[in-house]
């Protein structure tokens, strides 16, 4: 019974040390979008509302989806040891989807950044 209690406490501590916000869009899901065919409505139906939207001077529209992950390793709280032996980190992934003036998909790109020991993302552009 005592082991079960400590196992439950450990699971709660680990879960409390990770925070994720935003929308995750994998490159596989992006690749499903067809250039010249997918519309803004198709994309928002599939991925939800974007983090930001922008109307460009040339009439194109850009939808931006972001996701941030913060991981706090419990070892970071250990004096001295925590400075060197923890995997705390911060990661962010951004996907920009550009639509032509007729409202159809023109291009998309993704970017990721990883600071410390957080989960990394892949990046690419199409």
């Amino acid at each position: 019974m005592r082991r079960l209690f400590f196992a439950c406490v450990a699971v709660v501590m680990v879960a409390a040390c990770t925070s994720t916000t935003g929308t995750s869009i994998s490159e596989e899901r992006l690749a499903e979008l067809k250039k010249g065919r997918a519309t803004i409505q198709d994309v928002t139906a599939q991925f939800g509302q974007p983090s930001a939207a922008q109307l460009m001077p040339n009439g194109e529209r850009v939808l931006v989806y972001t996701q941030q992950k913060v991981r706090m390793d419990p070892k970071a709280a250990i004096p001295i040891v925590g400075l060197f032996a923890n995997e705390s980190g911060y990661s962010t992934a951004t996907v920009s989807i550009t639509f032509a003036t007729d409202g159809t998909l023109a291009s998309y790109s993704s970017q990721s950044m990883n600071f410390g020991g957080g989960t990394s993302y892949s990046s690419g552009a199409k």
Side-chain angles (χ1 to χ4, degrees), residues 4-125:
L4 178 62
F5 172 76
F6 285 114
C8 290
V9 169
V11 167
V12 170
M13 286 179 61
V14 169
C17 296
T18 302
S19 173
T20 302
T21 60
T23 303
S24 173
I25 302 176
S26 68
E27 288 189 34
E28 291 81 20
R29 290 179 69 196
L30 278 174
E32 294 172 3
L33 301 174
K34 303 298 179 205
K35 289 183 184 177
R37 295 185 67 208
T39 64
I40 293 173
Q41 292 79 15
D42 295 335
V43 170
T44 55
Q46 185 172 354
F47 303 128
Q49 291 300 312
S51 304
Q54 183 176 11
L55 176 61
M56 304 301 284
N58 63 359
E60 293 181 337
R61 293 191 181 271
V62 179
L63 302 184
V64 179
Y65 292 87
T66 59
Q67 182 182 46
Q68 300 84 30
K69 288 186 179 183
V70 177
R71 182 175 186 282
M72 181 64 185
D73 189 338
K75 291 182 280 190
I78 301 171
I80 311 256
V81 173
L83 294 172
F84 307 102
N86 80 76
E87 295 186 21
S88 297
Y90 171 81
S91 297
T92 183
T94 303
V95 172
S96 298
I97 305 172
T98 303
F99 296 88
T101 56
D102 68 355
T104 60
L105 178 67
S107 66
Y108 58 82
S109 65
S110 62
Q111 177 183 2
S112 64
M113 292 182 281
N114 187 30
F115 305 96
T119 304
S120 64
Y121 299 94
S122 60
S123 64

